[in-house]
Amino acid sequence: MNGIGDFLQWLACLILYSPIEPDEIDTELNTINEKQQFVPILDSCGGPNALTANFTNANVGRIRGQAFGCGNFVQNKRGVIGADFAYLSGIAGGDILTGIEYEFRARVAARGRMRHFPAETPGGSPPFGRNPAPFTIGLVFTFIRIFQVNDAGDLFEIARSPQIFHHSVTHPASAGVILPAPFDLNEEVSLRFTPINDGPVFFEVEVSVQGGATGSFSDIQIGSFEDATSGFATVEVSAPIAQKVLEDDACAELFGR
């Protein structure tokens, strides 16, 4: 700092824009083990879907599994597996100001590998082949939702992000070529919001890992970064912060925004 002026500027920024660290509340897990789309006797599948997903004691989400496609003589059908890992945190009432724009930020880390195998099916296009064409898809994405209790006493969503994609791979059938698709990311996600009252604010960061396969000879596996056929892919959300939107260039520089 160069003198009293810079010190006062720093102090003013600290008072006006100091970040608020939400308290961690809990974690929630919703698994997706979608029934394979098939009709018994008429359709065949490569196997039954398999899925294991949970949280470790350190709130690290883990997922592994395998989805198989299905089909019959004229139609290819899909199988899907996945898990949504929700991280919940909150700020006590009185710590924020009504009508002031804030930005919520957190870091999302995900590490794993998906093994894509969209198998070519015989016969070309219908009526002698199968439609749609076989393919596999692997996704890792995040949603942010922000809530407050409204005047009626109901939990009310005040802000929602679109899907924030971190990993998206679609692999079409290519003569049975296997595609290993690793992901290893650590990215900041953010969403702006304006409180509707001075009560508590609740934040939900939901990280979704999903894999799908279409076609009776297709499958996709989700596993560890080193080997999709074993171990677990992992996700973690850390460092949640809420902060007034920076309107002063000098303060933005101070906070590295």
Side-chain angles (χ1 to χ4, degrees):
M1 294 185 186
N2 298 317
I4 188 66
D6 285 352
F7 172 76
L8 292 176
Q9 173 71 54
W10 172 83
L11 187 61
C13 291
L14 198 62
I15 294 170
L16 289 172
Y17 297 108
S18 183
I20 304 168
E21 295 186 12
D23 296 323
E24 181 184 294
I25 297 176
D26 205 352
T27 53
E28 293 183 352
L29 176 64
N30 176 42
T31 59
I32 306 163
N33 192 2
E34 183 175 302
K35 288 185 177 180
Q36 292 152 313
Q37 297 178 349
F38 74 100
V39 177
I41 302 175
L42 298 180
D43 301 325
S44 62
C45 304
N49 284 350
L51 175 66
T52 301
N54 52 47
F55 278 105
T56 69
N57 292 336
N59 287 338
V60 175
R62 307 192 310 165
I63 178 174
R64 70 179 177 193
Q66 187 169 15
F68 291 94
C70 303
N72 54 42
F73 182 70
V74 296
Q75 185 179 16
N76 281 320
K77 301 181 180 181
R78 71 172 183 174
V80 175
I81 59 168
D84 301 324
F85 300 90
Y87 291 78
L88 309 176
S89 58
I91 293 175
D95 288 344
I96 59 169
L97 300 175
T98 305
I100 301 297
E101 188 177 33
Y102 289 79
E103 183 180 58
F104 171 78
R105 303 189 298 273
R107 296 210 68 83
V108 172
R111 179 178 169 86
R113 183 180 295 262
M114 299 191 190
R115 178 185 179 275
H116 295 251
F117 183 67
E120 195 73 67
T121 51
S125 301
F128 304 107
R130 303 175 183 184
N131 195 45
F135 72 97
T136 50
I137 183 169
L139 301 171
V140 180
F141 60 88
T142 294
F143 275 118
I144 304 173
R145 300 178 182 88
I146 302 176
F147 303 87
Q148 280 193 288
V149 177
N150 61 19
D151 294 339
D154 300 318
L155 195 62
F156 181 73
E157 183 179 272
I158 62 172
R160 172 196 289 255
S161 74
Q163 284 179 307
I164 304 168
F165 283 96
H166 308 289
H167 175 86
S168 178
V169 174
T170 300
H171 186 41
S174 52
V177 174
I178 294 173
L179 174 68
F183 54 93
D184 187 8
L185 60 98
N186 189 326
E187 299 174 359
E188 183 179 83
V189 295
S190 64
L191 179 64
R192 292 189 175 190
F193 67 99
T194 302
I196 59 175
N197 56 46
D198 60 0
V201 183
F202 304 100
F203 307 98
E204 179 187 72
V205 181
E206 182 180 275
V207 185
S208 184
V209 182
Q210 298 184 21
T214 297
S216 57
F217 300 101
S218 301
D219 72 274
I220 186 168
Q221 292 176 276
I222 303 174
S224 69
F225 181 81
E226 292 74 22
D227 182 4
T229 64
S230 65
F232 287 86
T234 60
V235 304
E236 185 175 10
V237 174
S238 62
I241 286 290
Q243 186 177 25
K244 287 182 188 177
V245 172
L246 295 165
E247 299 175 348
D248 185 288
D249 289 342
C251 292
E253 183 178 350
L254 172 67
F255 286 105
R257 305 303 299 170

